[in-house]
Amino acid sequence: MASELAGKVAFITGAARGVGRATAMIFAREGADVVLVDVATNIDGVPYSLATESQLRATAELCEAEGAAVEVVLADVRKQSDMGNAVHRAMKRFGQIDILVNNAGIAGPSGAIVHEVREDEWQLMLDINLTGAWRAIREIGPGMVERKSGSIINISSTAGVVAYRHFAGYVAAKHGLIGLTKAAALDYAPHRVRVNAICPGSIRDDFRVEGIMLSEIARALDVDQDEYESVFTQSQPNNELLAPVDVARAALWLASEQSVKMVGGVITLDGGFSIK
Ligand SMILES: NC(=O)c1ccc[n+]([C@@H]2O[C@H](COP(=O)([O-])OP(=O)(O)OC[C@H]3O[C@@H](n4cnc5c(N)ncnc54)[C@H](O)[C@@H]3O)[C@@H](O)[C@H]2O)c1
């Protein structure tokens, strides 16, 4: 698929590392210009380190090395004004946004039985993992509708289709993101704007994109990382964890014209985990 995204502009949240960085790099390689959005600082209540500004700049350099024009924006998906500013900057620089990847997300606070989740923990999880995607759609959807073109890709999780014990907030938010995907897809289908979701299974840590979510979840749950990884690996029918680039490749397909008939779809990309 050479230059699948030539002439396109992609807006990617949570782009500083992990899946977001892998997606930005593959989109850049395929000819897109990219708007890289990340909070790039720690957030009170998230029990592990989020990305840094230098990681966001590193993503930018990697995309530039692929030939992309890059706009970097520090923005928190919890704030509508931040998202508005990010879109304003993107429009000023590029004049259009063709692809939105709602990837920013947190895995914790998690690890408590459902009734022990505090309200502030619950709100934080939903605010970032579900409402954050809606906020980006609110800013970017109108331009796509006006141009009658666009692809919105929501990064959900297997936790969007099945439950995990002691992850009620994450599971509810990621299920909610599937609901948002379908509802937005219905609203936008007449306007030729497509909305789809990807539900990745567990992604192994990948230092090439500085992805560390698996070890961070293990640490937050106070379990041994190797043991945690092997439990997840064994639960995959193909006995392998995903790599960030696997998710990026699926996002590339959803972003491209190759997937033009995919509307409100949910791709479970999990080595067979959720079919059992
Ligand atoms: N890693 C996995 O095993 C896994 C599995 C399934 C789904 N996912 C989902 O994939 C997405 C990416 O995960 P990852 O593994 O790359 O994690 P990650 O922690 O490496 O990346 C998430 C990025 O989002 C940013 N971010 C967090 N809160 C933000 C906010 N409020 N505003 C803006 N940016 C914010 C972080 O700084 C970070 O750069 C997430 O939505 C996650 O839920 C991950």
Side-chain angles (χ1 to χ4, degrees), residues 85-134:
N85 174 54
V87 171
H88 179 73
R89 293 254 309 270
M91 293 303 286
K92 205 168 156 204
R93 174 87 183 267
F94 298 117
Q96 68 194 62
I97 298 170
D98 304 282
I99 301 154
L100 163 62
V101 184
N102 280 314
N103 167 75
I106 54 170
S110 293
I113 192 167
V114 60
H115 61 252
E116 285 175 3
V117 178
R118 293 196 316 265
E119 184 162 349
D120 61 304
E121 295 175 325
W122 179 268
Q123 296 290 8
L124 178 62
M125 185 60 82
L126 267 82
D127 206 9
I128 296 177
N129 287 8
L130 174 57
T131 316
W134 173 71

